[in-house]
Amino acid sequence: MIGIAGAGAFGTALAVALAKGGREVRLWARDPQQIRLMHETGRNDHALPGVELPQNVSIRAEIGDICGGEALLLAMPMQALGGALDAWPQVGARQPLVACCKGVDLTTLRGPVAVIEARRPEAQAAILTGPSFAADIARGLPTALTLATSGKGEALQELLSTPTLRIYRTDDVIGAELGGALKNVVAIAAGTVIGAGLGDSARAALMTRGYAEMVRLAEALGARAETLAGLSGFGDLVLTCTSSQSRNFRFGVALGTGEAFDPRVTVEGVATARAVVELARGMGIDMPVTAMVNALALGKIALNDAIGQLMSRPLKQE
């Protein structure tokens, strides 16, 4: 049995894919009304409209019901991860704990695996990340993801792989975490460029310089550059900077056009930018794209001023 804590779009999509791959899946949801509707309709239309839940996905209201299996996937926003583990003493070390979120914790300035390890040091902690949209996974479209863990990950890799979900394994946890977190920040910047009408050439330049920032910070924190060149870094960056399915990209477009953005939609890159600006400042690392995104999201700088600052940076060798 695989337990999934979080019946949002990504948690539900993983439940569908893993169940179609022959696994027994227990999906925990917090909202009683959502649970009732899923039982009645056999779908989770709140998160993934029109996607049928396979028979081997059972919906659970008690967190203890999804614990003790072969793995527990924690599919929730990054900023909610630590609080959820604090509130769930039932979640122990009887199974690997796999973070299915991307970002940097605002309190500790650490990634998801470090947040898990701080609260469950005896458990095998891992992160599942990479270029993926929930709708694609749920529809059975081919998707490749990265599983990062410092422990032996072969069994977990096999468990989470299906005919349509290909899992690659790495022991570079920091690299995988930062790739998934920082690409959201760059995606906001890319969306801002498009929203402001600056064109695809400007977006390509922005993505390139943003990727350089990703590698710079990751290497300073002990990650390997080749990890950032893989699925969890470059692959995810390309996806989220070029598709309107990305919430971070859509948020950036709204910044660029000056339109309001739905406050109910989680945009992980906003909190990540805040955390990374603080982290980079403490390490003396220059991250102008991240700083621009943070200032724009907080309303501390006008769009034209932000663009002007980036374009007026000192000329140098690439």
Side-chain angles (χ1 to χ4, degrees):
M1 182 272 289
I2 298 174
I4 301 179
F10 196 64
T12 303
L14 287 173
V16 171
L18 291 168
K20 287 182 177 179
R23 316 291 192 267
E24 176 197 351
V25 179
R26 298 180 185 177
L27 177 64
W28 175 86
R30 178 182 57 197
D31 183 5
Q33 182 178 3
Q34 184 185 16
I35 294 172
R36 177 180 61 81
L37 289 173
M38 282 192 285
H39 279 300
E40 291 177 356
T41 65
R43 300 187 304 272
N44 186 1
D45 286 333
H46 174 74
L48 279 177
V51 175
E52 299 290 334
L53 298 175
Q55 290 296 317
N56 47 336
V57 174
S58 59
I59 311 303
R60 303 300 177 105
E62 299 296 331
I63 198 68
D65 289 346
I66 68 171
C67 296
E70 296 174 271
L72 178 58
L73 310 187
L74 302 167
M76 61 197 63
M78 175 67 226
Q79 304 307 323
L81 179 60
L85 289 172
D86 289 340
W88 293 339
Q90 308 96 314
V91 176
R94 290 178 293 170
Q95 69 281 299
L97 302 179
V98 184
C100 299
C101 53
K102 302 170 183 179
V104 177
D105 182 64
L106 278 169
T107 302
T108 63
L109 304 183
R110 305 291 297 278
V113 172
V115 169
I116 294 172
E117 290 176 339
R119 290 162 171 81
R120 303 292 190 276
E122 71 281 9
Q124 179 184 3
I127 182 172
L128 188 64
T129 184
S132 56
F133 288 135
D136 292 347
I137 293 175
R139 290 169 58 199
L141 300 179
T143 304
L145 298 174
T146 296
L147 175 73
T149 179
S150 57
K152 293 183 178 180
E154 290 88 347
L156 194 54
Q157 179 186 27
E158 181 69 25
L159 177 70
L160 299 178
S161 295
T162 76
T164 61
L165 200 59
R166 183 172 179 81
I167 308 297
Y168 288 83
R169 188 180 72 253
T170 181
D171 60 0
D172 185 3
V173 172
I174 293 176
E177 286 182 324
L178 286 176
L182 295 172
K183 62 88 187 180
N184 282 335
V185 179
V186 182
I188 293 175
T192 304
V193 164
I194 295 302
L198 301 181
D200 289 331
S201 297
R203 170 166 53 182
L206 188 285
M207 289 171 61
T208 305
R209 298 315 306 160
Y211 179 72
E213 286 189 17
M214 292 169 58
V215 174
R216 187 156 59 238
L217 180 63
E219 287 189 311
L221 289 170
R224 300 191 295 267
E226 57 263 33
T227 304
L228 276 294
L231 289 168
S232 59
F234 181 75
D236 215 355
L237 178 72
V238 170
L239 184 71
T240 52
C241 288
T242 59
S243 174
S244 59
Q245 289 191 65
S246 165
R247 294 168 296 180
N248 292 278
F249 179 79
R250 295 200 310 272
F251 177 78
V253 171
L255 285 179
T257 59
E259 298 176 357
F261 191 79
D262 188 348
R264 297 170 297 179
V265 176
T266 300
V267 182
E268 291 283 19
V270 173
T272 298
R274 287 173 55 194
V276 169
V277 163
E278 183 176 346
L279 180 63
R281 183 185 299 117
M283 299 176 66
I285 297 175
D286 186 31
M287 301 192 69
V289 173
T290 303
M292 179 199 73
V293 168
N294 184 57
L296 281 173
L298 295 176
K300 292 184 175 181
I301 190 172
L303 177 61
N304 288 338
D305 292 337
I307 294 171
Q309 287 183 18
L310 287 179
M311 293 301 294
S312 62
R313 287 177 57 81
L315 300 176
K316 61 181 182 179
Q317 183 172 336
E318 186 176 21

